[in-house]
CSV table of all heavy atoms in Angstrom, one decimal:
chain,number,residue,atom,x,y,z
R,189,ASN,N,-94.0,-38.2,143.4
R,189,ASN,CA,-93.3,-37.2,144.3
R,189,ASN,C,-92.0,-36.8,143.8
R,189,ASN,O,-91.6,-35.6,143.8
R,189,ASN,CB,-93.2,-37.7,145.7
R,189,ASN,CG,-94.6,-37.7,146.4
R,189,ASN,OD1,-95.6,-37.2,145.9
R,189,ASN,ND2,-94.6,-38.2,147.7
R,190,SER,N,-91.2,-37.8,143.4
R,190,SER,CA,-89.8,-37.4,142.9
R,190,SER,C,-89.9,-36.6,141.6
R,190,SER,O,-89.1,-35.7,141.3
R,190,SER,CB,-88.9,-38.6,142.9
R,190,SER,OG,-89.5,-39.6,142.1
R,191,LEU,N,-90.9,-37.0,140.8
R,191,LEU,CA,-91.1,-36.2,139.5
R,191,LEU,C,-91.5,-34.8,139.8
R,191,LEU,O,-91.0,-33.9,139.1
R,191,LEU,CB,-92.2,-36.9,138.6
R,191,LEU,CG,-91.8,-38.2,138.0
R,191,LEU,CD1,-93.1,-38.9,137.4
R,191,LEU,CD2,-90.8,-38.1,136.9
R,192,LEU,N,-92.3,-34.7,140.9
R,192,LEU,CA,-92.7,-33.3,141.3
R,192,LEU,C,-91.5,-32.5,141.8
R,192,LEU,O,-91.3,-31.3,141.4
R,192,LEU,CB,-93.8,-33.4,142.4
R,192,LEU,CG,-94.6,-32.2,142.6
R,192,LEU,CD1,-95.5,-31.9,141.3
R,192,LEU,CD2,-95.6,-32.5,143.8
R,193,THR,N,-90.7,-33.1,142.6
R,193,THR,CA,-89.5,-32.5,143.1
R,193,THR,C,-88.6,-32.0,141.9
R,193,THR,O,-88.2,-30.8,141.9
R,193,THR,CB,-88.6,-33.4,144.0
R,193,THR,OG1,-89.5,-34.0,145.0
R,193,THR,CG2,-87.5,-32.7,144.6
R,194,VAL,N,-88.4,-32.9,141.0
R,194,VAL,CA,-87.5,-32.6,139.8
R,194,VAL,C,-88.1,-31.4,139.0
R,194,VAL,O,-87.4,-30.5,138.6
R,194,VAL,CB,-87.3,-33.8,139.0
R,194,VAL,CG1,-86.8,-33.4,137.6
R,194,VAL,CG2,-86.4,-34.8,139.6
R,195,SER,N,-89.5,-31.5,138.8
R,195,SER,CA,-90.1,-30.4,138.1
R,195,SER,C,-90.0,-29.1,138.8
R,195,SER,O,-89.7,-28.1,138.1
R,195,SER,CB,-91.6,-30.7,137.9
R,195,SER,OG,-91.8,-32.0,137.3
R,196,LEU,N,-90.2,-29.1,140.1
R,196,LEU,CA,-90.1,-27.8,140.8
R,196,LEU,C,-88.7,-27.2,140.7
R,196,LEU,O,-88.6,-26.0,140.4
R,196,LEU,CB,-90.4,-28.0,142.3
R,196,LEU,CG,-91.8,-28.4,142.6
R,196,LEU,CD1,-92.0,-28.8,144.1
R,196,LEU,CD2,-92.8,-27.2,142.3
R,197,PHE,N,-87.7,-28.0,140.8
R,197,PHE,CA,-86.4,-27.5,140.7
R,197,PHE,C,-86.0,-27.0,139.3
R,197,PHE,O,-85.5,-26.0,139.1
R,197,PHE,CB,-85.3,-28.5,141.2
R,197,PHE,CG,-85.1,-28.5,142.6
R,197,PHE,CD1,-85.9,-29.2,143.5
R,197,PHE,CD2,-84.2,-27.7,143.2
R,197,PHE,CE1,-85.8,-29.2,144.9
R,197,PHE,CE2,-84.0,-27.6,144.6
R,197,PHE,CZ,-84.8,-28.4,145.4
R,198,ALA,N,-86.4,-27.8,138.3
R,198,ALA,CA,-86.2,-27.5,136.9
R,198,ALA,C,-86.8,-26.1,136.6
R,198,ALA,O,-86.2,-25.2,136.0
R,198,ALA,CB,-86.7,-28.6,136.0
R,199,PHE,N,-88.0,-26.0,137.1
R,199,PHE,CA,-88.8,-24.7,136.8
R,199,PHE,C,-88.1,-23.6,137.5
R,199,PHE,O,-87.8,-22.5,136.9
R,199,PHE,CB,-90.2,-24.8,137.3
R,199,PHE,CG,-91.0,-23.6,137.0
R,199,PHE,CD1,-91.6,-23.4,135.8
R,199,PHE,CD2,-91.1,-22.6,137.9
R,199,PHE,CE1,-92.3,-22.3,135.5
R,199,PHE,CE2,-91.8,-21.4,137.6
R,199,PHE,CZ,-92.4,-21.2,136.4
R,200,LEU,N,-87.7,-23.7,138.7
R,200,LEU,CA,-87.1,-22.7,139.5
R,200,LEU,C,-85.8,-22.3,138.9
R,200,LEU,O,-85.4,-21.1,138.8
R,200,LEU,CB,-87.0,-23.1,141.0
R,200,LEU,CG,-86.8,-21.9,141.9
R,200,LEU,CD1,-88.0,-21.0,141.9
R,200,LEU,CD2,-86.6,-22.4,143.3
R,201,TRP,N,-85.0,-23.2,138.5
R,201,TRP,CA,-83.7,-22.9,137.9
R,201,TRP,C,-83.8,-22.2,136.6
R,201,TRP,O,-83.1,-21.2,136.4
R,201,TRP,CB,-82.8,-24.2,137.8
R,201,TRP,CG,-82.3,-24.7,139.1
R,201,TRP,CD1,-82.0,-24.0,140.2
R,201,TRP,CD2,-82.0,-26.1,139.4
R,201,TRP,NE1,-81.6,-24.8,141.2
R,201,TRP,CE2,-81.5,-26.1,140.7
R,201,TRP,CE3,-82.1,-27.3,138.7
R,201,TRP,CZ2,-81.2,-27.2,141.4
R,201,TRP,CZ3,-81.7,-28.4,139.4
R,201,TRP,CH2,-81.3,-28.4,140.7
R,202,ALA,N,-84.7,-22.6,135.8
R,202,ALA,CA,-84.9,-22.0,134.5
R,202,ALA,C,-85.5,-20.5,134.7
R,202,ALA,O,-85.0,-19.6,134.1
R,202,ALA,CB,-85.9,-22.8,133.7
R,203,TRP,N,-86.4,-20.4,135.7
R,203,TRP,CA,-87.0,-19.1,136.0
R,203,TRP,C,-85.9,-18.2,136.5
R,203,TRP,O,-85.9,-17.0,136.2
R,203,TRP,CB,-88.1,-19.3,137.1
R,203,TRP,CG,-88.7,-18.1,137.5
R,203,TRP,CD1,-88.3,-17.2,138.5
R,203,TRP,CD2,-89.9,-17.5,137.0
R,203,TRP,NE1,-89.2,-16.2,138.6
R,203,TRP,CE2,-90.2,-16.3,137.7
R,203,TRP,CE3,-90.8,-17.8,135.9
R,203,TRP,CZ2,-91.3,-15.5,137.4
R,203,TRP,CZ3,-91.9,-17.0,135.7
R,203,TRP,CH2,-92.1,-15.9,136.4
Side-chain angles (χ1 to χ4, degrees):
Chain R
N189 284 357
S190 53
L191 290 169
L192 200 62
T193 308
V194 163
S195 306
L196 291 171
F197 275 88
F199 182 84
L200 200 62
W201 286 332
W203 178 273

